[in-house]
Amino acid sequence: MDDDFLLLNGLLLLGFVTCALLALVAFFAWQRPVSQGRIGPLEASLGYALCVAAVPPAVWWCVGAYLRRLQGLSGNAPSFWTHLADIGVAFIVFACLWVSWAVAFALACLAAWRFSVCARRWREGVGA
């Protein structure tokens, strides 16, 4: 039973770390064109917001699918407790998805601010 909790906690931590790393990669991917003046801060902010909004469902769907696969490999006949645990895992993954979206919204706001600063610096550098 303790191994199951360790696995669940590890997968949840892996899901949050994956979302954070993908958001960081997307930020740098959008910051480069803004700092070079190829796109504006509004376009970069919207593109980044779409990226960080699309990443969490994919990550948490993979975590949930992996947990369902592990449950199917156990070979035991489903019992009441198995179904209850499945509902609990689904609730946890759903809650993690919403937490990831909340963090993604905060990151998108910070990124929008940073993109506007990069664009202003580029305009000042070109105008000087």
Side-chain angles (χ1 to χ4, degrees):
M1 191 69 154
D2 289 333
D3 292 338
D4 294 338
F5 287 125
L6 286 174
L7 176 67
L8 181 62
N9 289 337
L11 285 174
L12 295 179
L13 183 62
L14 179 68
F16 282 122
V17 169
T18 303
C19 287
L21 287 176
L22 290 174
L24 186 65
V25 167
F27 173 75
F28 287 124
W30 284 99
Q31 184 183 14
R32 180 173 296 261
V34 171
S35 64
Q36 294 172 349
R38 290 186 286 162
I39 61 173
L42 181 62
E43 293 89 3
S45 299
L46 291 175
Y48 180 75
L50 287 174
C51 287
V52 296
V55 165
V59 169
W60 293 113
W61 179 82
C62 290
V63 169
Y66 182 73
L67 288 171
R68 282 190 299 279
R69 184 173 183 274
L70 284 180
Q71 182 186 11
L73 292 177
S74 64
N76 299 336
S79 67
F80 171 75
W81 297 110
T82 304
H83 292 300
L84 189 62
D86 191 33
I87 291 170
V89 167
F91 178 75
I92 289 170
V93 169
F94 184 72
C96 288
L97 173 65
W98 279 98
V99 168
S100 295
W101 271 334
V103 170
F105 176 75
L107 288 175
C109 291
L110 289 172
W113 170 75
R114 184 68 185 146
F115 292 150
S116 65
V117 169
C118 284
R120 189 172 342 131
R121 284 184 186 161
W122 183 79
R123 282 192 300 265
E124 289 172 359
V126 170

